[in-house]
mmCIF file of all heavy atoms in Angstrom:
data_model
loop_
_atom_site.group_PDB
_atom_site.id
_atom_site.type_symbol
_atom_site.label_atom_id
_atom_site.label_comp_id
_atom_site.label_asym_id
_atom_site.label_seq_id
_atom_site.Cartn_x
_atom_site.Cartn_y
_atom_site.Cartn_z
ATOM 1 N N GLY A 1 68.544 -3.574 170.356
ATOM 2 C CA GLY A 1 68.263 -3.104 171.646
ATOM 3 C C GLY A 1 68.133 -1.529 171.619
ATOM 4 O O GLY A 1 68.643 -0.955 170.797
ATOM 5 N N GLY A 2 67.694 -0.979 172.691
ATOM 6 C CA GLY A 2 67.693 0.475 172.900
ATOM 7 C C GLY A 2 66.916 0.842 174.173
ATOM 8 O O GLY A 2 66.522 -0.016 175.001
ATOM 9 N N LEU A 3 66.550 2.178 174.172
ATOM 10 C CA LEU A 3 65.738 2.576 175.256
ATOM 11 C C LEU A 3 64.344 2.783 174.736
ATOM 12 O O LEU A 3 64.142 3.568 173.768
ATOM 13 C CB LEU A 3 66.348 3.997 175.739
ATOM 14 C CG LEU A 3 65.557 4.810 176.719
ATOM 15 C CD1 LEU A 3 65.478 4.170 177.918
ATOM 16 C CD2 LEU A 3 66.163 6.196 176.967
ATOM 17 N N VAL A 4 63.365 2.276 175.567
ATOM 18 C CA VAL A 4 62.031 2.477 175.163
ATOM 19 C C VAL A 4 61.165 2.850 176.448
ATOM 20 O O VAL A 4 61.472 2.320 177.463
ATOM 21 C CB VAL A 4 61.568 1.217 174.519
ATOM 22 C CG1 VAL A 4 61.604 0.046 175.440
ATOM 23 C CG2 VAL A 4 60.260 1.301 173.875
ATOM 24 N N GLN A 5 60.098 3.412 176.280
ATOM 25 C CA GLN A 5 59.176 3.623 177.302
ATOM 26 C C GLN A 5 58.291 2.438 177.652
ATOM 27 O O GLN A 5 58.131 1.658 176.949
ATOM 28 C CB GLN A 5 58.086 4.901 176.938
ATOM 29 C CG GLN A 5 58.931 6.185 176.796
ATOM 30 C CD GLN A 5 57.972 7.303 176.503
ATOM 31 O OE1 GLN A 5 56.832 7.115 175.935
ATOM 32 N NE2 GLN A 5 58.339 8.534 176.648
ATOM 33 N N PRO A 6 57.742 2.384 178.849
ATOM 34 C CA PRO A 6 56.882 1.344 179.296
ATOM 35 C C PRO A 6 55.823 1.279 178.277
ATOM 36 O O PRO A 6 55.192 2.264 177.996
ATOM 37 C CB PRO A 6 56.471 1.560 180.582
ATOM 38 C CG PRO A 6 57.670 2.341 181.273
ATOM 39 C CD PRO A 6 58.138 3.226 180.099
ATOM 40 N N GLY A 7 55.330 0.055 177.947
ATOM 41 C CA GLY A 7 54.364 -0.167 176.953
ATOM 42 C C GLY A 7 54.726 -0.146 175.524
ATOM 43 O O GLY A 7 53.921 -0.469 174.566
ATOM 44 N N GLY A 8 55.981 0.196 175.318
ATOM 45 C CA GLY A 8 56.575 0.375 174.019
ATOM 46 C C GLY A 8 57.024 -1.054 173.362
ATOM 47 O O GLY A 8 56.837 -2.133 174.114
ATOM 48 N N SER A 9 57.619 -1.079 172.270
ATOM 49 C CA SER A 9 58.074 -2.380 171.577
ATOM 50 C C SER A 9 59.412 -2.096 170.996
ATOM 51 O O SER A 9 59.891 -1.106 170.753
ATOM 52 C CB SER A 9 57.090 -2.541 170.466
ATOM 53 O OG SER A 9 55.773 -2.884 170.833
ATOM 54 N N LEU A 10 60.127 -3.248 170.910
ATOM 55 C CA LEU A 10 61.478 -3.367 170.310
ATOM 56 C C LEU A 10 61.369 -4.745 169.584
ATOM 57 O O LEU A 10 60.813 -5.744 170.060
ATOM 58 C CB LEU A 10 62.510 -3.318 171.312
ATOM 59 C CG LEU A 10 62.981 -2.067 171.888
ATOM 60 C CD1 LEU A 10 64.000 -2.271 172.989
ATOM 61 C CD2 LEU A 10 63.535 -1.069 170.783
ATOM 62 N N ARG A 11 62.239 -4.847 168.509
ATOM 63 C CA ARG A 11 62.477 -6.046 167.828
ATOM 64 C C ARG A 11 64.037 -6.413 167.845
ATOM 65 O O ARG A 11 64.790 -5.592 167.296
ATOM 66 C CB ARG A 11 61.973 -6.008 166.324
ATOM 67 C CG ARG A 11 62.042 -7.375 165.579
ATOM 68 C CD ARG A 11 61.433 -7.077 164.235
ATOM 69 N NE ARG A 11 61.577 -8.334 163.406
ATOM 70 C CZ ARG A 11 60.668 -9.358 163.425
ATOM 71 N NH1 ARG A 11 59.704 -9.504 164.307
ATOM 72 N NH2 ARG A 11 60.942 -10.454 162.588
ATOM 73 N N LEU A 12 64.310 -7.341 168.515
ATOM 74 C CA LEU A 12 65.774 -7.826 168.496
ATOM 75 C C LEU A 12 66.111 -8.968 167.364
ATOM 76 O O LEU A 12 65.229 -9.688 166.984
ATOM 77 C CB LEU A 12 66.103 -8.558 169.937
ATOM 78 C CG LEU A 12 65.830 -7.696 171.088
ATOM 79 C CD1 LEU A 12 66.211 -8.416 172.482
ATOM 80 C CD2 LEU A 12 66.389 -6.269 171.117
ATOM 81 N N SER A 13 67.398 -8.798 167.000
ATOM 82 C CA SER A 13 67.817 -9.763 165.999
ATOM 83 C C SER A 13 69.108 -10.362 166.537
ATOM 84 O O SER A 13 69.840 -9.855 167.207
ATOM 85 C CB SER A 13 68.188 -9.013 164.647
ATOM 86 O OG SER A 13 66.928 -8.361 164.149
ATOM 87 N N CYS A 14 69.259 -11.656 165.985
ATOM 88 C CA CYS A 14 70.484 -12.277 166.363
ATOM 89 C C CYS A 14 70.890 -13.165 165.040
ATOM 90 O O CYS A 14 70.190 -13.932 164.580
ATOM 91 C CB CYS A 14 70.172 -13.424 167.446
ATOM 92 S SG CYS A 14 71.564 -14.528 167.766
ATOM 93 N N ALA A 15 71.997 -12.739 164.556
ATOM 94 C CA ALA A 15 72.625 -13.320 163.272
ATOM 95 C C ALA A 15 73.634 -14.240 163.712
ATOM 96 O O ALA A 15 74.545 -14.019 164.551
ATOM 97 C CB ALA A 15 73.226 -12.196 162.402
ATOM 98 N N ALA A 16 73.562 -15.333 163.078
ATOM 99 C CA ALA A 16 74.432 -16.577 163.379
ATOM 100 C C ALA A 16 75.321 -16.942 162.172
ATOM 101 O O ALA A 16 74.779 -16.910 161.063
ATOM 102 C CB ALA A 16 73.705 -17.790 163.921
ATOM 103 N N SER A 17 76.497 -17.285 162.346
ATOM 104 C CA SER A 17 77.456 -17.847 161.325
ATOM 105 C C SER A 17 77.158 -19.236 161.113
ATOM 106 O O SER A 17 76.402 -19.898 162.136
ATOM 107 C CB SER A 17 78.869 -17.515 161.623
ATOM 108 O OG SER A 17 79.124 -18.171 162.822
ATOM 109 N N GLY A 18 77.618 -19.828 160.029
ATOM 110 C CA GLY A 18 77.621 -21.259 159.918
ATOM 111 C C GLY A 18 76.470 -21.575 158.821
ATOM 112 O O GLY A 18 75.728 -20.801 158.489
ATOM 113 N N SER A 19 76.580 -22.879 158.386
ATOM 114 C CA SER A 19 75.823 -23.356 157.240
ATOM 115 C C SER A 19 74.668 -24.266 157.665
ATOM 116 O O SER A 19 73.953 -24.680 156.808
ATOM 117 C CB SER A 19 76.698 -24.105 156.242
ATOM 118 O OG SER A 19 77.311 -25.105 156.861
ATOM 119 N N ILE A 20 74.590 -24.616 158.953
ATOM 120 C CA ILE A 20 73.527 -25.513 159.391
ATOM 121 C C ILE A 20 72.546 -24.885 160.414
ATOM 122 O O ILE A 20 72.041 -25.445 161.252
ATOM 123 C CB ILE A 20 74.234 -26.771 159.960
ATOM 124 C CG1 ILE A 20 75.179 -26.394 161.152
ATOM 125 C CG2 ILE A 20 74.812 -27.630 158.952
ATOM 126 C CD1 ILE A 20 75.604 -27.706 161.928
ATOM 127 N N PHE A 21 72.344 -23.624 160.303
ATOM 128 C CA PHE A 21 71.407 -22.912 161.167
ATOM 129 C C PHE A 21 70.152 -23.501 161.282
ATOM 130 O O PHE A 21 69.560 -23.505 162.475
ATOM 131 C CB PHE A 21 71.297 -21.389 160.619
ATOM 132 C CG PHE A 21 70.361 -20.614 161.487
ATOM 133 C CD1 PHE A 21 70.820 -19.925 162.635
ATOM 134 C CD2 PHE A 21 69.100 -20.308 161.013
ATOM 135 C CE1 PHE A 21 70.034 -19.172 163.414
ATOM 136 C CE2 PHE A 21 68.202 -19.548 161.750
ATOM 137 C CZ PHE A 21 68.691 -18.959 163.012
ATOM 138 N N SER A 22 69.618 -24.091 160.225
ATOM 139 C CA SER A 22 68.126 -24.610 160.224
ATOM 140 C C SER A 22 67.958 -25.784 161.219
ATOM 141 O O SER A 22 66.941 -26.002 161.684
ATOM 142 C CB SER A 22 67.746 -24.975 158.908
ATOM 143 O OG SER A 22 68.579 -26.077 158.345
ATOM 144 N N ILE A 23 69.124 -26.394 161.569
ATOM 145 C CA ILE A 23 68.966 -27.574 162.493
ATOM 146 C C ILE A 23 69.111 -27.162 164.086
ATOM 147 O O ILE A 23 68.816 -28.043 164.946
ATOM 148 C CB ILE A 23 69.860 -28.690 162.367
ATOM 149 C CG1 ILE A 23 71.349 -28.346 162.738
ATOM 150 C CG2 ILE A 23 69.852 -28.979 160.694
ATOM 151 C CD1 ILE A 23 72.266 -29.528 162.724
ATOM 152 N N TYR A 24 69.422 -25.979 164.273
ATOM 153 C CA TYR A 24 69.600 -25.412 165.637
ATOM 154 C C TYR A 24 68.315 -25.168 166.350
ATOM 155 O O TYR A 24 67.389 -24.627 165.734
ATOM 156 C CB TYR A 24 70.467 -24.143 165.653
ATOM 157 C CG TYR A 24 71.870 -24.188 165.144
ATOM 158 C CD1 TYR A 24 72.505 -23.026 164.607
ATOM 159 C CD2 TYR A 24 72.620 -25.390 165.233
ATOM 160 C CE1 TYR A 24 73.753 -23.181 164.120
ATOM 161 C CE2 TYR A 24 73.936 -25.445 164.684
ATOM 162 C CZ TYR A 24 74.572 -24.340 164.221
ATOM 163 O OH TYR A 24 75.834 -24.404 163.648
ATOM 164 N N ASP A 25 68.324 -25.473 167.612
ATOM 165 C CA ASP A 25 67.302 -24.827 168.481
ATOM 166 C C ASP A 25 67.888 -23.440 168.837
ATOM 167 O O ASP A 25 69.116 -23.405 169.226
ATOM 168 C CB ASP A 25 67.109 -25.603 169.740
ATOM 169 C CG ASP A 25 66.371 -26.816 169.547
ATOM 170 O OD1 ASP A 25 65.628 -26.985 168.302
ATOM 171 O OD2 ASP A 25 66.201 -27.761 170.373
ATOM 172 N N MET A 26 67.096 -22.394 168.883
ATOM 173 C CA MET A 26 67.591 -21.092 169.106
ATOM 174 C C MET A 26 66.849 -20.560 170.342
ATOM 175 O O MET A 26 65.684 -20.771 170.506
ATOM 176 C CB MET A 26 67.360 -20.222 168.002
ATOM 177 C CG MET A 26 68.128 -20.593 166.701
ATOM 178 S SD MET A 26 69.892 -20.536 166.894
ATOM 179 C CE MET A 26 70.194 -18.824 167.461
ATOM 180 N N GLY A 27 67.455 -19.713 171.063
ATOM 181 C CA GLY A 27 66.866 -19.191 172.334
ATOM 182 C C GLY A 27 67.370 -17.784 172.650
ATOM 183 O O GLY A 27 68.398 -17.389 172.288
ATOM 184 N N TRP A 28 66.534 -17.016 173.291
ATOM 185 C CA TRP A 28 66.888 -15.647 173.829
ATOM 186 C C TRP A 28 66.921 -15.709 175.338
ATOM 187 O O TRP A 28 66.069 -16.379 176.016
ATOM 188 C CB TRP A 28 65.793 -14.640 173.399
ATOM 189 C CG TRP A 28 65.962 -14.168 172.022
ATOM 190 C CD1 TRP A 28 65.216 -14.581 170.966
ATOM 191 C CD2 TRP A 28 66.848 -13.119 171.576
ATOM 192 N NE1 TRP A 28 65.606 -13.982 169.806
ATOM 193 C CE2 TRP A 28 66.621 -13.032 170.156
ATOM 194 C CE3 TRP A 28 67.853 -12.356 172.111
ATOM 195 C CZ2 TRP A 28 67.367 -12.226 169.329
ATOM 196 C CZ3 TRP A 28 68.498 -11.491 171.376
ATOM 197 C CH2 TRP A 28 68.304 -11.395 169.902
ATOM 198 N N TYR A 29 67.902 -15.038 175.876
ATOM 199 C CA TYR A 29 68.179 -14.952 177.264
ATOM 200 C C TYR A 29 68.378 -13.542 177.853
ATOM 201 O O TYR A 29 68.691 -12.637 176.952
ATOM 202 C CB TYR A 29 69.365 -15.777 177.630
ATOM 203 C CG TYR A 29 69.284 -17.206 177.187
ATOM 204 C CD1 TYR A 29 69.571 -17.582 175.976
ATOM 205 C CD2 TYR A 29 68.997 -18.293 178.130
ATOM 206 C CE1 TYR A 29 69.494 -18.934 175.543
ATOM 207 C CE2 TYR A 29 68.910 -19.553 177.777
ATOM 208 C CZ TYR A 29 69.229 -19.850 176.476
ATOM 209 O OH TYR A 29 68.946 -21.153 176.053
ATOM 210 N N ARG A 30 68.204 -13.114 179.007
ATOM 211 C CA ARG A 30 68.571 -11.878 179.440
ATOM 212 C C ARG A 30 69.149 -11.851 180.839
ATOM 213 O O ARG A 30 69.027 -12.814 181.622
ATOM 214 C CB ARG A 30 67.262 -10.972 179.396
ATOM 215 C CG ARG A 30 66.174 -11.357 180.502
ATOM 216 C CD ARG A 30 64.891 -10.571 180.224
ATOM 217 N NE ARG A 30 63.832 -11.013 181.263
ATOM 218 C CZ ARG A 30 62.658 -10.525 181.272
ATOM 219 N NH1 ARG A 30 62.290 -9.858 180.230
ATOM 220 N NH2 ARG A 30 61.756 -10.846 182.238
#
């Protein structure tokens, strides 16, 4: 995250612990 002007872009990342990540449904919320 960060500060960006209208019309700009950001790329968010979410790193998860655990060994079965591939079976999870993942979501973003705000």
Side-chain angles (χ1 to χ4, degrees):
L3 175 64
V4 65
Q5 294 181 340
S9 297
L10 285 172
R11 184 175 177 85
L12 307 183
S13 298
C14 170
S17 65
S19 61
I20 56 171
F21 177 82
S22 64
I23 76 169
Y24 298 151
D25 288 346
M26 300 296 300
W28 284 98
Y29 305 78
R30 68 188 180 192

